[in-house]
Amino acid sequence: MICRNDSGYILRPSLPEDSQNYARLFDQVDPEVARLTGSALHYDCDEAVSFFLANIDDETRRDFLLLDPTSRIIGESVINEIDSKLRSANFRIAIFDTSSLGCGIGSWAIEQTVDFAFREIGLHRLSLDVFSFNPRAIRAYEKAGFVREGALRDAVIDSATGSYGDDILMSILESEWREHR
């Protein structure tokens, strides 16, 4: 899958030659991105490269990179934990460039990845979890057709406030995806 939107953003599969540029994303993670995704603020370059390369060869996942119009990596969209017997998987997305947030890029990438999951992989169910203090992501997932299933109450701590937040569970089924499209 290679998709380009009207603004020139590209969503495409991760390639081995992307490993160094990918690792640079994790040299210093923006604190707000780390807060909303549960990431650390820094990852070792060698570990990030090893992780990235191992994911490319992992049959239970599909990793896509989100590139801006200048071909700079600004995020990733991932289908992981693919269970071919159950036809189910997990989904996650992260945009590391905070200047690209709130522009609809994430919603577009979610839609493209979800379409790929059901059309190309043939999934029956795609699930995710999102922190309750990330309302922008919740709206984007709902816009794509994801439905709230429940929450792990007070399961995470919001690093900005020190207060607890919920880990909200969401999913979309193949029939819901077809109806939504």
Side-chain angles (χ1 to χ4, degrees), residues 140-152:
Y141 296 138
E142 289 173 339
K143 181 179 171 185
F146 283 87
V147 176
R148 291 179 193 227
E149 293 188 325
L152 301 175

Side-chain angles (χ1 to χ4, degrees), residues 15-73:
L15 301 170
E17 54 266 28
D18 296 317
S19 63
Q20 292 296 321
N21 288 332
Y22 176 84
R24 283 189 197 101
L25 293 171
F26 298 96
D27 184 47
Q28 185 60 48
V29 178
D30 182 274
E32 184 67 1
V33 172
R35 172 184 167 256
L36 297 176
T37 62
S39 298
L41 291 172
H42 171 77
Y43 292 88
D44 178 73
C45 180
D46 291 338
E47 289 176 324
V49 167
S50 295
F51 174 77
F52 180 83
L53 293 173
N55 290 342
I56 289 175
D57 295 330
D58 187 340
E59 298 277 328
T60 66
R61 53 187 299 139
R62 301 293 184 279
D63 290 63
F64 300 98
L65 293 176
L66 183 56
L67 288 77
D68 72 7
T70 68
S71 297
R72 183 176 56 95
I73 299 171

Side-chain angles (χ1 to χ4, degrees), residues 80-92:
N80 59 8
E81 301 174 18
I82 298 171
D83 183 326
S84 55
K85 186 174 182 178
L86 289 176
R87 295 179 46 221
S88 69
N90 182 67
F91 171 71
R92 67 178 179 78

Side-chain angles (χ1 to χ4, degrees), residues 122-142:
L123 293 182
H124 170 70
R125 171 188 165 83
L126 187 62
S127 62
L128 61 84
D129 62 314
V130 59
F131 300 152
S132 58
F133 47 84
N134 192 350
R136 181 183 302 150
I138 293 168
R139 282 191 305 276
Y141 296 138
E142 289 173 339

